[in-house]
């Protein structure tokens, strides 16, 4: 028998009960352990950092992973769902630096000690907040926390080592001097994509120098070439200038002292012809000579600073003009300064054998041997450099420039580009295959495939995968003084080569292990760097399973069927997964990828406790529940890759809307089934009632629509279809079927219960992946089975479909709407029966549909006349019989209202006191309002039967 249902529902209370039930009965574990006949559906979970508390963004990322895990489980696939923790890298080191009051990187080695620092990092990540599990439970996500993988575990790190060695052996990893974004506070390079993930947070506008410098051309009297730059601090080591050989350049003579902006000597300037606006209007100067940039290549100039001239090796070029096709004429002067602190600069310097001079240490401080500026922070040196050059007459123009600069994604220090001898993945050699494998991936929304992802892939530099830090997987390379490199891919290999047992892959233990060089017999030391934590994230497919050292077969889990994260991961996690998959196996790294948008605060900015611009997620979950949050977010445009503002109102509306409508239907069914002692059976309904046939047809259409949407990873379309059906189910089917419960045909009453239970059970399965709590409550109570999440997805039954009936019912509903409109105009309540309406239609209505309309609009007869446009005419004459019937309906309504106030049970008989009633409708009033006796009284009153006694 069904358990009774509380009409005044608290969804959070219902959900607490369901969470407890799931845990006590191990329902999640049972769903994973079922026999699925070898069918598997795999997804890769991008683990959150152990730092911080969950917010709406991290909760959002969990939702599609749970939805599709549940969906494919119900479709008969075994779905492994293991939680993971990301715990290496700068985020953890920054936290520990705060705990240990470390102000600079050098203190880690010189003051604290690496061993103690690593110990503190380990202690920090192992103390993961238990509150994460509370949040995950209360948003309804099923995931294995107990066996969570951790990126700092030895097994995980060993798999990462294997990935590195395989990429290296395939020729995709090299060590070289390349320019990367660099953080002087963290003293380590930062990947471009880390900065690009959340561009608004990782950039800021600053006022900088926009300076046009004068460089004297050797052997040409009073002739200067003008070069524009925004980085005065690296003018100290400008060892070349570059022009575009194919651009037209001019030598100009200013017309007057005023045109020279106060300069006393008559000077000649060389710059690109297209940039002469920097000199003023065309009347401010005279073009003396015009030539191609190629004629400037090889000319020498007088350097501004030449303290390092004695370091120049034989054959190296220095203080001369080089050609570079990257030099553009859109800004500046068409001449650029060349120093090692620019990606294109360094490339040109290597190609043209231009002397490379470095003058900034790992903390952004100018080296002490640099005259005038040694010991200055590089940004402070910028001002000093320009002041010095201005005093020497070597600046033509100095302006302020507002532009956006990148910030460190962890400490928010301003970054600069720096040349580093580091380890890189050779992305350039992989690009063609990466573009090809991307074509095989199903992206949702689709535009990301050929839009942001492809563009970021095409523009990607080689990936710097080494970090000059401490808490991370080691770069598994031992270098010998002779130049030989030993790359290891497993703990066993290290032990075999070193003769030392390996218990920890972290620094400093791993640094103490030496390996004999087979080439020269000397002892090799491990390189000092650790790996970028993103290579760990990109290795997650393998490392979470300890592949290839576990029993897992690659083809059983790779590439995974599904991944999902927000748009920031397009250039980050999705990208590194794709690079590693292409590099290792010439394979796509995932089959289907869902890209969510970003949830912003109520004011449109990033959510921040400092701004106070978002409602507390824990408070909202306790107030409205997890199902409501799932409906809100999974049904919003954030699941179509668009950004949304968090809204408590939209969250709350899920409770007031579809959830409460569904609960009321469920409550109506259960309370009436208990009242009429009707019991559920799993047999299909074959009712002849037109409403039953209609709702069964609609439910099958819903099954098809939701299945198609979820197969395509579109929760928005699925939820839209579910909400529309729930509304139809309540406002049309249930409302129109209420009359059947007062009828005397037991067969029709049973058909209603059978149909409604069939729909509720089917609907509970269809909503189970999206709203797992309320679906569980409905399914368990009706069927008596253990869990909806252990059931199978509804099978296709197109025999239920009746599209002609659905179309005719839609016409009926339009007629009803028109009749209600006409009644309102005529000021005749729906409870007042009318004799007749006339409907103009192209075709006749079936008799069952006419009966539905008659009951809904309360008329005795419907006349259909031929007509091209749908319209209705009311016959408004009210006879005495009609008036009495209307009065009886009004009395029934008043009794029902008073019953609610009195708090009577649905089947409890009452006595009614009123001054009059239509005698011919006494029995109908008693039957429909559960009245024992009707007694004369001046005042209307309701009493329980036992009160009269």
């Amino acid at each position: 028998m069904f358990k009774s249902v509380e009409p005044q529902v608290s969804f959070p209370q219902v959900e607490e009960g369901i969470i407890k039930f799931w845990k006590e009965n191990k329902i999640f574990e049972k769903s994973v352990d079922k026999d699925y006949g070898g069918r598997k559906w795999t997804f890769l979970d991008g683990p959150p950092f152990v730092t911080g508390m969950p917010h709406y963004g991290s909760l959002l990322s969990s939702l599609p992973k749970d939805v599709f895990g549940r969906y494919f489980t119900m479709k008969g696939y075994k779905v492994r769902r293991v939680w993971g923790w990301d715990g290496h890298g700068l985020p953890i080191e920054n936290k520990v630096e705060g705990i240990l009051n470390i102000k600079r990187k050098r203190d880690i080695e010189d003051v604290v000690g690496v061993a103690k620092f690593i110990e503190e990092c380990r202690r920090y990540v192992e103390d993961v907040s238990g509150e994460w599990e509370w949040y995950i439970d209360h948003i309804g996500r099923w995931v294995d926390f107990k066996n969570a993988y951790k990126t700092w575990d030895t097994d995980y790190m060993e798999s990462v080592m294997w990935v590195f060695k395989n990429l290296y052996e395939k020729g995709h990893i090299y060590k070289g001097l390349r320019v990367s974004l660099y953080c002087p506070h963290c003293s380590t390079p930062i990947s471009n994509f880390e900065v690009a993930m959340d561009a608004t947070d990782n950039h800021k506008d600053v006022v900088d120098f926009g300076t046009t410098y004068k460089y004297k051309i050797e052997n040409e009297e009073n002739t200067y070439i003008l070069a524009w730059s925004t980085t005065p601090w690296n003018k100290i080591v400008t060892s070349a200038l570059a022009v575009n050989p194919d651009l037209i350049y001019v030598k100009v003579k200013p017309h007057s002292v005023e045109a020279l902006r106060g300069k006393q000597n008559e000077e000649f300037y060389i710059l690109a012809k297209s940039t002469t606006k920097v000199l003023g209007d065309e009347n401010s100067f005279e073009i003396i000579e015009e030539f191609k940039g190629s004629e400037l290549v090889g000319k020498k100039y007088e350097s501004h600073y030449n303290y390092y001239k004695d370091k120049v090796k034989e054959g190296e070029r220095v203080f001369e003009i080089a050609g570079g096709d990257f030099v553009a004429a859109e800004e500046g002067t068409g001449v650029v300064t060349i120093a090692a602190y620019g990606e294109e600069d360094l490339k040109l310097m290597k190609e043209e054998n231009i002397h490379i001079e470095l003058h900034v240490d790992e903390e952004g401080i100018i080296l002490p041997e640099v005259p005038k500026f040694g010991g200055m922070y590089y940004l402070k040196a910028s001002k000093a450099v320009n002041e010095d050059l201005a005093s020497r007459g070597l600046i033509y123009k100095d302006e302020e420039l507002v532009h956006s600069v990148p910030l460190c994604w962890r400490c928010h220090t301003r970054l600069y580009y720096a040349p580093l001898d580091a380890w890189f993945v050779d992305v350039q050699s992989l690009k063609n295959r990466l573009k090809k494998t991307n074509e095989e991936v199903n992206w949702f929304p689709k535009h990301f495939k050929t839009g942001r992802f492809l563009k970021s892939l095409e523009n990607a530099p080689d990936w710097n995968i080494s970090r000059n830090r401490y808490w991370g997987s080691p770069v598994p390379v031992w270098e010998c003084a002779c130049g030989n490199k030993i790359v290891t891919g497993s703990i066993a290999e290290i032990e075999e080569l070193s003769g030392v047992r390996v218990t920890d892959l972290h620094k400093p233990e791993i640094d103490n292990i030496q390996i004999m060089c087979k080439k020269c017999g000397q002892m090799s030391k491990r390189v000092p760097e650790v790996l970028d934590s993103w290579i760990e994230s990109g290795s997650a497919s393998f490392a979470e399973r300890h592949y290839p050292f576990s029993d897992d077969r690659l083809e059983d889990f790779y590439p995974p069927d599904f991944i999902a994260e927000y748009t920031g991961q397009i250039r980050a996690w999705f990208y590194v997964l794709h690079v590693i998959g292409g590099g290792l196996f010439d394979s796509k790294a995932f089959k289907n990828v869902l890209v969510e948008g970003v949830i912003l605060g109520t004011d449109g900015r990033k959510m921040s406790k400092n701004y106070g611009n978002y409602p507390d997620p824990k408070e909202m979950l306790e107030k409205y529940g997890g199902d409501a949050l799932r409906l809100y977010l999974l049904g919003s445009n954030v699941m179509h890759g668009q950004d949304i503002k968090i809204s408590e109102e939209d969250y709350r509306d899920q409770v007031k809307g579809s959830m409460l409508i569904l609960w009321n239907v469920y409550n109506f069914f259960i309370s009436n089934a208990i009242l009429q002692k009707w019991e559920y059976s799993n047999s299909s309904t074959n009712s002849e009632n037109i409403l039953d046939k209609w709702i069964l047809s609609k439910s099958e259409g819903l099954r098809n629509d939701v299945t198609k949407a979820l197969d395509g990873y579109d929760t928005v379309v699925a939820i839209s279809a579910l909400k529309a059906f729930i509304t139809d189910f309540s406002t049309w089917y249930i409302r129109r079927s209420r009359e059947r419960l007062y009828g005397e045909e037991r067969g029709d009453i049973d058909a209603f219960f059978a149909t409604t239970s069939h729909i509720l059970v089917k609907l509970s399965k269809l909503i189970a992946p999206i709203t797992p709590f309320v679906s569980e409550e409905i399914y368990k109570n009706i069927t008596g089975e253990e869990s909806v999440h252990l059931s199978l997805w509804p099978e296709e039954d197109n025999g239920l479909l009746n599209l002609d009936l659905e179309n005719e019912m839609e016409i009926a509903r339009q007629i009803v709407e028109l009749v209600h409109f006409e009644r309102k105009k005529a000021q005749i309540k729906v409870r007042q029966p009318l004799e007749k309406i006339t409907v103009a239609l192209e075709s006749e209505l079936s008799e069952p549909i006419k009966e539905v309309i008659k009951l809904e609009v309360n008329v005795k007869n419907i006349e259909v006349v031929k007509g091209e446009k749908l319209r209705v005419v009311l016959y408004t004459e009210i006879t005495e019989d009609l008036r009495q019937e209307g009065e009886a309906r009004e009395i029934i309504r008043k009794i029902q209202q008073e019953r609610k106030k009195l708090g009577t049970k649905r089947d409890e008989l009452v006595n009614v006191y009123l001054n009059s009633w239509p005698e011919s409708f006494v029995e109908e009033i008693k039957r429909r309002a559960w009245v024992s006796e009707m007694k004369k009284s001046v005042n209307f009153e309701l009493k329980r039967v036992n009160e009269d006694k």
Side-chain angles (χ1 to χ4, degrees), residues 209-212 226-230 242 244 247 249 271-278 326-337 344 399 401-403:
F209 299 95
T211 310
T212 304
L226 301 182
W228 183 79
S229 174
T230 61
N244 191 320
L247 280 180
Y249 289 78
L271 71 168
K273 186 176 183 180
S274 59
T275 67
T276 53
K277 59 182 179 294
V278 302
F326 62 89
V327 180
E330 282 75 34
E331 63 177 2
T333 62
V335 183
V336 297
T337 59
E344 290 171 323
E399 299 175 311
L401 172 73
V402 178
H403 66 146

Short mmCIF file of all heavy atoms in Angstrom, two decimals, residues 209-212 226-230 242 244 247 249 271-278 326-337 344 399 401-403:
data_model
loop_
_atom_site.label_atom_id
_atom_site.label_comp_id
_atom_site.label_asym_id
_atom_site.label_seq_id
_atom_site.Cartn_x
_atom_site.Cartn_y
_atom_site.Cartn_z
N PHE A 209 54.71 53.09 -20.17
CA PHE A 209 55.41 53.94 -21.12
C PHE A 209 55.12 53.48 -22.55
O PHE A 209 55.06 52.29 -22.83
CB PHE A 209 56.93 53.85 -20.88
CG PHE A 209 57.37 54.31 -19.52
CD1 PHE A 209 57.54 53.39 -18.48
CD2 PHE A 209 57.60 55.65 -19.27
CE1 PHE A 209 57.95 53.81 -17.23
CE2 PHE A 209 58.02 56.07 -18.02
CZ PHE A 209 58.19 55.16 -16.99
N GLY A 210 54.95 54.44 -23.43
CA GLY A 210 54.92 54.18 -24.86
C GLY A 210 55.96 55.11 -25.46
O GLY A 210 55.67 56.27 -25.76
N THR A 211 57.18 54.61 -25.60
CA THR A 211 58.34 55.47 -25.86
C THR A 211 58.92 55.23 -27.25
O THR A 211 59.07 54.09 -27.68
CB THR A 211 59.44 55.21 -24.80
OG1 THR A 211 58.88 55.27 -23.50
CG2 THR A 211 60.55 56.25 -24.92
N THR A 212 59.22 56.35 -27.94
CA THR A 212 59.93 56.28 -29.22
C THR A 212 61.38 56.65 -28.96
O THR A 212 61.71 57.77 -28.55
CB THR A 212 59.31 57.24 -30.24
OG1 THR A 212 57.92 56.95 -30.39
CG2 THR A 212 60.01 57.11 -31.60
N LEU A 226 64.29 55.54 -35.54
CA LEU A 226 63.34 55.62 -34.43
C LEU A 226 62.69 54.26 -34.19
O LEU A 226 62.20 53.63 -35.13
CB LEU A 226 62.24 56.65 -34.74
CG LEU A 226 62.71 58.08 -35.01
CD1 LEU A 226 61.50 59.00 -35.24
CD2 LEU A 226 63.56 58.62 -33.85
N ALA A 227 62.70 53.82 -32.93
CA ALA A 227 62.10 52.53 -32.56
C ALA A 227 61.17 52.75 -31.37
O ALA A 227 61.53 53.45 -30.41
CB ALA A 227 63.18 51.51 -32.22
N TRP A 228 60.02 52.12 -31.43
CA TRP A 228 59.00 52.31 -30.38
C TRP A 228 58.94 51.07 -29.49
O TRP A 228 59.09 49.94 -29.96
CB TRP A 228 57.65 52.54 -31.05
CG TRP A 228 56.52 52.80 -30.10
CD1 TRP A 228 56.23 53.97 -29.47
CD2 TRP A 228 55.49 51.88 -29.71
NE1 TRP A 228 55.10 53.85 -28.70
CE2 TRP A 228 54.62 52.56 -28.82
CE3 TRP A 228 55.22 50.55 -30.01
CZ2 TRP A 228 53.51 51.97 -28.24
CZ3 TRP A 228 54.11 49.95 -29.43
CH2 TRP A 228 53.28 50.66 -28.55
N SER A 229 58.72 51.29 -28.18
CA SER A 229 58.66 50.16 -27.26
C SER A 229 57.85 50.55 -26.02
O SER A 229 57.74 51.73 -25.68
CB SER A 229 60.07 49.74 -26.84
OG SER A 229 60.02 48.74 -25.84
N THR A 230 57.32 49.52 -25.35
CA THR A 230 56.58 49.73 -24.08
C THR A 230 57.34 49.13 -22.89
O THR A 230 56.79 49.08 -21.79
CB THR A 230 55.18 49.09 -24.15
OG1 THR A 230 55.33 47.68 -24.36
CG2 THR A 230 54.35 49.69 -25.26
N ALA A 242 65.11 45.71 -35.41
CA ALA A 242 64.56 44.93 -36.53
C ALA A 242 63.64 45.80 -37.36
O ALA A 242 62.88 46.63 -36.84
CB ALA A 242 63.82 43.70 -36.03
N ASN A 244 61.16 45.53 -41.19
CA ASN A 244 60.57 44.59 -42.14
C ASN A 244 61.19 44.83 -43.51
O ASN A 244 61.05 45.92 -44.08
CB ASN A 244 59.05 44.79 -42.21
CG ASN A 244 58.35 43.68 -42.98
OD1 ASN A 244 58.85 43.22 -44.00
ND2 ASN A 244 57.21 43.25 -42.48
N LEU A 247 58.84 46.41 -46.17
CA LEU A 247 58.16 47.69 -45.96
C LEU A 247 58.96 48.83 -46.57
O LEU A 247 60.19 48.74 -46.74
CB LEU A 247 57.99 47.96 -44.46
CG LEU A 247 56.84 47.28 -43.73
CD1 LEU A 247 56.85 47.68 -42.26
CD2 LEU A 247 55.49 47.62 -44.35
N TYR A 249 60.53 52.41 -46.09
CA TYR A 249 61.02 53.30 -45.04
C TYR A 249 61.44 54.63 -45.66
O TYR A 249 61.71 54.73 -46.87
CB TYR A 249 62.19 52.66 -44.30
CG TYR A 249 61.75 51.50 -43.42
CD1 TYR A 249 61.46 50.25 -43.98
CD2 TYR A 249 61.59 51.66 -42.04
CE1 TYR A 249 61.03 49.20 -43.18
CE2 TYR A 249 61.17 50.59 -41.24
CZ TYR A 249 60.89 49.36 -41.82
OH TYR A 249 60.45 48.32 -41.03
N LEU A 271 62.22 55.91 -40.36
CA LEU A 271 61.08 55.15 -39.85
C LEU A 271 60.25 54.67 -41.03
O LEU A 271 60.48 55.09 -42.17
CB LEU A 271 60.24 55.98 -38.89
CG LEU A 271 59.39 57.15 -39.45
CD1 LEU A 271 58.43 57.64 -38.37
CD2 LEU A 271 60.24 58.31 -39.94
N ALA A 272 59.29 53.81 -40.77
CA ALA A 272 58.43 53.31 -41.85
C ALA A 272 57.57 54.45 -42.39
O ALA A 272 57.09 55.30 -41.62
CB ALA A 272 57.56 52.18 -41.34
N LYS A 273 57.39 54.48 -43.70
CA LYS A 273 56.64 55.56 -44.33
C LYS A 273 55.21 55.64 -43.80
O LYS A 273 54.65 56.73 -43.63
CB LYS A 273 56.64 55.37 -45.84
CG LYS A 273 56.00 56.53 -46.60
CD LYS A 273 56.10 56.33 -48.10
CE LYS A 273 55.51 57.54 -48.84
NZ LYS A 273 55.61 57.37 -50.31
N SER A 274 54.65 54.47 -43.49
CA SER A 274 53.26 54.43 -43.02
C SER A 274 53.09 54.93 -41.60
O SER A 274 51.97 55.03 -41.10
CB SER A 274 52.71 53.01 -43.14
OG SER A 274 53.51 52.12 -42.37
N THR A 275 54.20 55.22 -40.89
CA THR A 275 54.10 55.61 -39.48
C THR A 275 54.55 57.05 -39.23
O THR A 275 54.75 57.45 -38.08
CB THR A 275 54.96 54.67 -38.61
OG1 THR A 275 56.35 54.87 -38.90
CG2 THR A 275 54.59 53.21 -38.81
N THR A 276 54.71 57.83 -40.29
CA THR A 276 55.25 59.19 -40.11
C THR A 276 54.33 60.09 -39.30
O THR A 276 54.72 61.18 -38.92
CB THR A 276 55.53 59.84 -41.48
OG1 THR A 276 54.34 59.76 -42.30
CG2 THR A 276 56.69 59.14 -42.19
N LYS A 277 53.12 59.63 -39.01
CA LYS A 277 52.22 60.43 -38.17
C LYS A 277 52.80 60.69 -36.79
O LYS A 277 52.39 61.63 -36.11
CB LYS A 277 50.86 59.74 -38.06
CG LYS A 277 50.88 58.36 -37.45
CD LYS A 277 49.48 57.75 -37.43
CE LYS A 277 49.49 56.35 -36.84
NZ LYS A 277 50.24 55.38 -37.70
N VAL A 278 53.76 59.86 -36.37
CA VAL A 278 54.37 60.09 -35.05
C VAL A 278 55.16 61.40 -35.06
O VAL A 278 55.47 61.96 -33.99
CB VAL A 278 55.29 58.92 -34.62
CG1 VAL A 278 54.52 57.62 -34.59
CG2 VAL A 278 56.53 58.81 -35.49
N PHE A 326 57.98 39.80 -39.00
CA PHE A 326 56.98 40.02 -37.96
C PHE A 326 56.81 41.50 -37.63
O PHE A 326 55.88 41.89 -36.93
CB PHE A 326 57.36 39.25 -36.68
CG PHE A 326 58.67 39.68 -36.07
CD1 PHE A 326 58.72 40.72 -35.14
CD2 PHE A 326 59.85 39.05 -36.44
CE1 PHE A 326 59.94 41.10 -34.59
CE2 PHE A 326 61.06 39.43 -35.88
CZ PHE A 326 61.11 40.47 -34.96
N VAL A 327 57.74 42.34 -38.11
CA VAL A 327 57.66 43.78 -37.83
C VAL A 327 56.51 44.36 -38.63
O VAL A 327 56.47 44.25 -39.87
CB VAL A 327 58.98 44.49 -38.18
CG1 VAL A 327 58.87 45.99 -37.88
CG2 VAL A 327 60.14 43.88 -37.39
N ALA A 328 55.57 44.99 -37.94
CA ALA A 328 54.37 45.52 -38.59
C ALA A 328 54.44 47.04 -38.64
O ALA A 328 55.18 47.68 -37.91
CB ALA A 328 53.13 45.07 -37.83
N ALA A 329 53.62 47.62 -39.52
CA ALA A 329 53.59 49.07 -39.67
C ALA A 329 52.31 49.68 -39.10
O ALA A 329 52.02 50.83 -39.34
CB ALA A 329 53.70 49.42 -41.16
N GLU A 330 51.55 48.88 -38.34
CA GLU A 330 50.27 49.37 -37.81
C GLU A 330 50.46 50.25 -36.58
O GLU A 330 49.62 51.06 -36.25
CB GLU A 330 49.35 48.19 -37.44
CG GLU A 330 48.67 47.55 -38.64
CD GLU A 330 49.62 46.70 -39.45
OE1 GLU A 330 50.52 46.08 -38.86
OE2 GLU A 330 49.47 46.67 -40.69
N GLU A 331 51.56 50.05 -35.83
CA GLU A 331 51.79 50.85 -34.64
C GLU A 331 53.27 51.18 -34.54
O GLU A 331 54.11 50.54 -35.17
CB GLU A 331 51.33 50.13 -33.38
CG GLU A 331 52.07 48.85 -33.07
CD GLU A 331 51.61 48.20 -31.76
OE1 GLU A 331 50.70 48.73 -31.12
OE2 GLU A 331 52.19 47.15 -31.40
N GLY A 332 53.58 52.17 -33.71
CA GLY A 332 54.97 52.52 -33.50
C GLY A 332 55.59 53.16 -34.72
O GLY A 332 55.00 54.02 -35.37
N THR A 333 56.81 52.72 -35.08
CA THR A 333 57.57 53.34 -36.18
C THR A 333 57.96 52.35 -37.27
O THR A 333 58.69 52.71 -38.19
CB THR A 333 58.86 53.96 -35.61
OG1 THR A 333 59.67 52.91 -35.04
CG2 THR A 333 58.55 55.01 -34.54
N GLY A 334 57.53 51.10 -37.13
CA GLY A 334 57.97 50.09 -38.10
C GLY A 334 59.36 49.60 -37.80
O GLY A 334 59.98 48.93 -38.63
N VAL A 335 59.87 49.96 -36.62
CA VAL A 335 61.18 49.50 -36.16
C VAL A 335 61.00 49.03 -34.73
O VAL A 335 60.39 49.72 -33.91
CB VAL A 335 62.23 50.64 -36.18
CG1 VAL A 335 63.61 50.11 -35.76
CG2 VAL A 335 62.30 51.30 -37.55
N VAL A 336 61.49 47.83 -34.41
CA VAL A 336 61.33 47.31 -33.05
C VAL A 336 62.69 47.03 -32.44
O VAL A 336 63.65 46.69 -33.14
CB VAL A 336 60.45 46.03 -33.02
CG1 VAL A 336 59.05 46.31 -33.50
CG2 VAL A 336 61.09 44.92 -33.82
N THR A 337 62.74 47.19 -31.12
CA THR A 337 63.96 46.86 -30.38
C THR A 337 63.99 45.35 -30.14
O THR A 337 62.95 44.74 -29.89
CB THR A 337 63.99 47.59 -29.04
OG1 THR A 337 62.84 47.24 -28.28
CG2 THR A 337 64.02 49.10 -29.24
N GLU A 344 59.20 36.58 -30.39
CA GLU A 344 59.69 36.74 -31.76
C GLU A 344 61.12 37.27 -31.77
O GLU A 344 61.92 36.94 -32.64
CB GLU A 344 58.76 37.68 -32.53
CG GLU A 344 57.40 37.05 -32.81
CD GLU A 344 56.40 38.04 -33.37
OE1 GLU A 344 56.44 39.22 -32.93
OE2 GLU A 344 55.60 37.64 -34.23
N GLU A 399 55.20 58.88 -24.17
CA GLU A 399 53.77 59.06 -23.87
C GLU A 399 53.30 58.00 -22.89
O GLU A 399 53.97 56.98 -22.69
CB GLU A 399 52.95 58.94 -25.17
CG GLU A 399 53.31 59.98 -26.21
CD GLU A 399 52.56 59.75 -27.51
OE1 GLU A 399 52.56 58.60 -27.99
OE2 GLU A 399 51.98 60.71 -28.03
N LEU A 401 50.66 55.11 -21.95
CA LEU A 401 49.87 54.14 -22.71
C LEU A 401 49.08 53.28 -21.72
O LEU A 401 49.65 52.68 -20.81
CB LEU A 401 50.80 53.25 -23.54
CG LEU A 401 50.17 52.06 -24.26
CD1 LEU A 401 49.34 52.52 -25.44
CD2 LEU A 401 51.25 51.10 -24.73
N VAL A 402 47.75 53.21 -21.89
CA VAL A 402 46.93 52.33 -21.06
C VAL A 402 46.72 51.02 -21.82
O VAL A 402 46.23 51.02 -22.95
CB VAL A 402 45.56 52.97 -20.74
CG1 VAL A 402 44.70 52.00 -19.92
CG2 VAL A 402 45.75 54.28 -20.00
N HIS A 403 47.15 49.93 -21.22
CA HIS A 403 46.95 48.63 -21.88
C HIS A 403 46.77 47.55 -20.83
O HIS A 403 47.02 47.74 -19.64
CB HIS A 403 48.10 48.32 -22.84
CG HIS A 403 49.42 48.12 -22.18
ND1 HIS A 403 50.37 47.24 -22.64
CD2 HIS A 403 49.98 48.69 -21.09
CE1 HIS A 403 51.44 47.27 -21.87
NE2 HIS A 403 51.23 48.15 -20.92
#
